[in-house]
Amino acid sequence: MKEKEKLIAIVASLLLVLLVLGFLIRSVFFVGSGRGTSPLTTSGVVMEDAPAALVEVSGDKGQGNQDGSQTEENHVYSTFTLYEQDPVTLSGIAQLQTNQAYFYDKEKGDIATVKVRDGQFVKKNDLLYTYEQKAVETQHEIEDLMREQTRTYNQREVLIKQLSDYTGALYNYQGDRISGYWDPSGKQGYYIEEEIGNYSLADGEANAYTSGDPTVEGMKDQIRQVNEAIEDLEIKLIRLQEKQQGRVLAKSDGTVVLNEEGKDNTQVAFIRIVSDEVSVTGTASEYEFYTLEEGRPVSLYVNAEDRDIAGEIISFDQIPDSGNNNTTGKTDLTPTVTSSKGADFNFMISAAEAIQPGFSVKIGIKLPGVVLPVESIIEADDQTYVFVYREGIAEKVAVTIERQGTQRVVLRELSAGDILLLNPYELVDGQMVTTDLSAETNQDSW
């Protein structure tokens, strides 16, 4: 009996020991259970106070706006600064005798009257002969120009009246501000108080024509543009009227050599004007032909004397030379077959001072206008535009482009120093733009 009681006591003691051990083991593994169970990482490290959700961290893809949208990077425009054209340099030689040929032009009609005789001495701009104009196209062109001229005159009158109403000042027919006065005889006269100016003024001079009022300056700019359009129309009208009248004038002083065979033969010179004046003759290639224009001033450098002389182009061939050197100074316009090396065109220059015959001369031809890069030109609505960069703003400017060889040139609306925006697509007038002037395109990049 006693042995049975001892066995029960031992079992009870073992159960108690197991109970105590179980309690101790639970306390070790679940310490901190009062704070809640902490999650374990895969490495067995306890992540205390871990957030309830994981946050994905991505790389910086650009600064975002407060509404979560992405800010678009500003476009940086390349620029081009306009520059004055360098003179085109040609070579020439001083000739003892000037011999200018005048040929019958059947497109002008028949020769109607001859105003000179063989052996007669004539002065520059004397009338040599006239054409009888048969075609009516020239008359129609003149009538169209006169109608356009009238509309342009009316447009200018409206603009000047608007300027006068806005400023309260008086202006003459072309927009110059005038003031009145009374002379001693009691008659009222006017004098120009401020000229309206034009686009060809130098930068320093242009400041004299600005009032500071943007509205006034905008009106003046419109009047200046109309003035220039009127000037162009008047020049075209004069030239067409001369063409209609068919007047042929002497281009220099000299003695007339008349050949009746050339009166209706385009291959024979009808009249030659021969003089003992020294002239400069030379040839221009087909790539330099665009530099030739009658009446264009040139600069002459005499190599042997190291001196500069002024000159003027008095004639040039419309038909290329055969390729033989022209040492006679003649400017015959006889059709010839050119070689594969390209066409050469003879020209003649009148020098302001005497040059020793036979001396070589360097000829500098300064061309008007500034050259536009093709990347700056926008054509839309039958107009041609460029965008000029002015103090962070893109200003849309309408331009009239002329071709000088392969170059596109603007004569009036732009000037050297203006900064153009390249590839200005989608731009609007007055838009703020960002440019990279440090990487400005130079003249050799297009």
Side-chain angles (χ1 to χ4, degrees):
M1 188 71 180
K2 289 183 179 180
E3 291 179 358
K4 187 177 180 178
E5 291 177 354
K6 287 181 180 181
L7 181 60
I8 293 173
I10 292 172
V11 173
S13 297
L14 289 174
L15 290 175
L16 180 62
V17 170
L18 290 175
L19 182 62
V20 172
L21 287 175
F23 179 81
L24 291 175
I25 291 172
R26 185 178 184 280
S27 299
V28 171
F29 282 94
F30 295 97
V31 64
S33 59
R35 294 189 307 238
T37 302
S38 299
L40 298 176
T41 66
T42 56
S43 61
V45 180
V46 177
M47 302 292 293
E48 295 186 4
D49 298 325
L54 296 178
V55 178
E56 180 182 358
V57 180
S58 62
D60 185 10
K61 296 183 180 179
Q63 183 180 0
N65 293 328
Q66 292 182 353
D67 59 0
S69 63
Q70 192 73 17
T71 302
E72 182 180 357
E73 183 180 358
N74 289 333
H75 180 72
V76 178
Y77 286 89
S78 298
T79 61
F80 183 93
T81 302
L82 297 177
Y83 59 93
E84 292 185 356
Q85 297 189 69
D86 294 328
V88 177
T89 302
L90 303 177
S91 297
I93 187 169
Q95 299 289 341
L96 179 60
Q97 189 180 70
T98 299
N99 186 340
Q100 290 182 290
Y102 300 80
F103 289 80
Y104 163 63
D105 186 351
K106 62 181 179 181
E107 292 184 359
K108 295 182 179 180
D110 296 331
I111 294 178
T113 58
V114 181
K115 299 296 183 180
V116 294
R117 64 182 184 278
D118 189 45
Q120 178 181 341
F121 182 83
V122 295
K123 304 284 289 183
K124 181 179 180 180
N125 292 328
D126 282 351
L127 179 61
L128 300 179
Y129 57 95
T130 63
Y131 285 97
E132 179 184 0
Q133 183 61 251
K134 294 182 178 180
V136 298
E137 288 81 0
T138 302
Q139 179 61 34
H140 292 165
E141 290 182 42
I142 291 175
E143 293 172 356
D144 292 342
L145 279 177
M146 293 182 70
R147 284 194 294 271
E148 185 177 356
Q149 187 183 49
T150 300
R151 288 194 296 267
T152 311
Y153 283 151
N154 294 337
Q155 180 185 1
R156 182 169 65 178
E157 288 181 6
V158 171
L159 291 172
I160 292 176
K161 184 178 185 304
Q162 291 175 349
L163 179 61
S164 179
D165 292 342
Y166 183 83
T167 62
L170 295 177
Y171 298 88
N172 63 12
Y173 71 97
Q174 64 179 11
D176 300 324
R177 192 174 71 192
I178 59 177
S179 293
Y181 67 93
W182 297 94
D183 64 15
S185 64
K187 294 182 179 179
Q188 187 175 14
Y190 297 91
Y191 66 92
I192 295 178
E193 184 177 357
E194 180 186 72
E195 294 181 357
I196 193 169
N198 56 56
Y199 287 106
S200 62
L201 292 171
D203 292 339
E205 296 174 326
N207 293 331
Y209 302 103
T210 58
S211 67
D213 187 330
T215 302
V216 173
E217 292 310 312
M219 293 179 177
K220 288 183 177 180
D221 283 343
Q222 291 181 342
I223 295 173
R224 292 186 187 105
Q225 293 177 24
V226 173
N227 283 341
E228 290 168 355
I230 289 175
E231 181 181 356
D232 290 342
L233 287 171
E234 290 175 346
I235 292 174
K236 291 179 181 178
L237 191 57
I238 290 172
R239 290 176 177 174
L240 279 175
Q241 288 172 338
E242 290 178 351
K243 179 180 178 181
Q244 184 187 41
Q245 295 171 355
R247 294 162 53 90
V248 179
L249 307 179
K251 299 172 185 176
S252 62
D253 300 350
T255 302
V256 174
V257 178
L258 184 63
N259 186 349
E260 290 289 344
E261 183 182 349
K263 192 171 183 178
D264 55 5
N265 187 343
T266 60
Q267 308 299 315
V268 179
F270 176 47
I271 288 178
R272 293 182 182 276
I273 303 296
V274 181
S275 72
D276 294 331
E277 295 180 357
V278 175
S279 61
V280 175
T281 61
T283 59
S285 72
E286 58 188 290
Y287 302 104
E288 300 159 336
F289 179 75
Y290 72 94
T291 65
L292 304 179
E293 180 179 309
E294 288 188 10
R296 173 165 287 168
V298 299
S299 61
L300 305 174
Y301 175 74
V302 184
N303 300 301
E305 299 176 339
D306 189 25
R307 65 177 175 131
D308 295 306
I309 300 173
E312 178 184 308
I313 299 176
I314 58 175
S315 66
F316 65 94
D317 290 354
Q318 297 288 344
I319 299 174
D321 181 49
S322 61
N324 299 324
N325 291 331
N326 185 351
T327 58
T328 64
K330 298 180 181 180
T331 56
D332 293 353
L333 305 183
T334 305
T336 55
V337 178
T338 60
S339 65
S340 59
K341 72 179 181 62
D344 289 326
F345 298 82
N346 295 326
F347 62 86
M348 183 178 295
I349 294 173
S350 174
E353 302 176 20
I355 304 175
Q356 174 63 37
F359 277 14
S360 61
V361 178
K362 290 294 183 184
I363 304 162
I365 305 178
K366 179 71 172 178
L367 298 174
V370 290
V371 180
L372 299 187
V374 294
E375 297 90 343
S376 68
I377 300 171
I378 298 291
E379 295 181 348
D381 302 327
D382 297 327
Q383 291 272 3
T384 303
Y385 302 94
V386 296
F387 280 87
V388 181
Y389 177 73
R390 303 190 193 279
E391 299 181 352
I393 302 297
E395 179 181 330
K396 188 177 183 180
V397 178
V399 294
T400 301
I401 293 180
E402 298 188 5
R403 296 296 292 262
Q404 291 181 358
T406 60
Q407 300 180 139
R408 294 165 175 81
V409 176
V410 170
L411 299 180
R412 284 182 295 273
E413 296 91 349
L414 301 171
S415 58
D418 286 340
I419 301 175
L420 301 187
L421 297 171
L422 301 184
N423 302 310
Y425 309 109
E426 308 300 331
L427 276 180
V428 295
D429 189 26
Q431 180 177 333
M432 297 184 65
V433 294
T434 302
T435 64
D436 185 6
L437 294 176
S438 61
E440 180 177 326
T441 306
N442 59 43
Q443 66 190 59
D444 297 325
S445 66
W446 49 273

